[in-house]
Amino acid sequence: MLAIAIQRVPLFAALSDQQLARVLTRAETLDLDEGQWLFRQGDLSKRFFFVISGQLRLFRLAADGSEKIIELVQAGQTFAEALLFMGTDRYPLCAAALSPARLLSIDATDFAAMLHESPETCFALLGNLSRRLHGLIAEIDSLTLVSATGRVARWLLAQVPEEVDSQPGSMQDSLALDVRKSVLASRLSIQPETWSRITRRMAEDGIISVNGQHIVILDRTALQNLAEEVVQH
């Protein structure tokens, strides 16, 4: 049930039943095809979004038309809600579906009015945005201080959290890439060929195994060591 799903999100967890009903009453459901754009940077930002299913990429367009992916948004996540506090009425990024996606489109103006009526809800939302800000700061550190190999290693570790009882190479240590390698490479600020070279070297060293889109972590300790590899100046 949609109401139960969105209540798990920090942004909505502090809402009362009445507030949640108000949000859902004014919300709209959108379906996007793979590759379909939701908005472009500079478009008017009257709504923010909750991903019911599918996956989207948030990205900036450079002057030459190239993309820099800022974030990959999964089912169960919200995006564009920070604009409520930025004093801008334009999206600073583009958003497009990486796979068929269903979204809940939320009225940003009415949500902001609801926050003005409830300081407790406002502070809960600010706490959520602060946690995301700290995550982005840590990511900036990773992109500027950690080597390309370290970034790939950190990304792999983040996708497969360590289980207490897991064995090397077990199902708990495996993942299937659900996006193109070029998308992942852009997300990590590296070239697609760099991703391929790094994962091939990791496989040759027995740290991971790669079979098409399927990756298994064989040596988590070695991968963690690579994750701390810094940029050489």
Side-chain angles (χ1 to χ4, degrees):
M1 187 176 180
L2 182 57
I4 296 175
I6 69 172
Q7 280 182 313
R8 299 192 185 104
V9 180
L11 178 62
F12 302 111
L15 298 184
S16 67
D17 291 342
Q18 284 184 329
Q19 289 172 324
L20 187 61
R22 174 174 168 174
V23 170
L24 293 176
T25 298
R26 292 165 170 78
E28 301 172 357
T29 301
L30 300 177
D31 290 302
L32 300 179
D33 295 326
E34 180 178 348
Q36 184 175 349
W37 289 52
L38 176 63
F39 55 75
R40 296 173 182 270
Q41 59 197 60
D43 286 352
L44 285 173
S45 57
K46 296 182 178 181
R47 310 186 76 84
F48 66 95
F49 306 90
F50 170 76
V51 184
I52 301 172
S53 63
Q55 190 178 46
L56 289 91
R57 72 187 194 277
L58 306 182
F59 58 98
R60 292 276 296 177
L61 283 177
D64 62 1
S66 62
E67 297 181 7
K68 173 60 183 85
I69 295 179
I70 306 300
E71 189 172 1
L72 301 179
V73 189
Q74 315 282 347
Q77 294 182 310
T78 56
F79 63 97
E81 71 275 19
L83 298 179
L84 290 168
F85 303 98
M86 290 178 60
T88 178
D89 60 354
R90 303 281 174 174
Y91 293 113
L93 305 171
C94 305
L98 280 169
S99 63
R102 171 163 289 191
L103 311 176
L104 190 68
S105 171
I106 299 164
D107 185 333
T109 301
D110 187 70
F111 196 89
M114 188 172 66
L115 294 181
H116 282 290
E117 299 165 7
S118 173
E120 294 83 3
T121 305
C122 189
F123 276 106
L125 176 56
L126 287 173
N128 172 62
L129 295 177
S130 295
R131 286 190 292 273
R132 290 188 63 179
L133 176 60
H134 284 295
L136 290 172
I137 291 172
E139 182 176 328
I140 290 172
D141 285 342
S142 175
L143 291 175
T144 56
L145 301 177
V146 180
S147 68
T149 298
R151 280 176 247 159
V152 173
R154 288 188 177 193
W155 186 88
L156 290 171
L157 289 168
Q159 307 314 302
V160 189
E162 186 172 12
E163 298 287 343
V164 174
D165 298 325
S166 67
Q167 297 297 318
S170 66
M171 289 298 294
Q172 291 91 340
D173 277 328
S174 65
L175 71 147
L177 301 181
D178 56 0
V179 295
R180 299 187 304 276
K181 293 177 183 177
S182 59
V183 172
L184 289 178
S186 176
R187 182 69 183 84
L188 298 173
S189 293
I190 60 177
Q191 297 299 316
E193 55 268 26
T194 303
W195 166 278
S196 298
R197 184 176 68 252
I198 290 171
T199 53
R200 182 170 59 250
R201 187 169 67 244
M202 288 179 177
E204 291 170 351
D205 292 341
I207 299 172
I208 63 173
S209 68
V210 181
N211 184 9
Q213 295 290 93
H214 189 251
I215 295 177
V216 178
I217 297 175
L218 302 176
D219 189 339
R220 183 175 287 271
T221 299
L223 194 62
Q224 289 170 335
N225 290 336
L226 289 177
E228 301 304 318
E229 186 174 285
V230 299
V231 175
Q232 298 297 321
H233 296 287

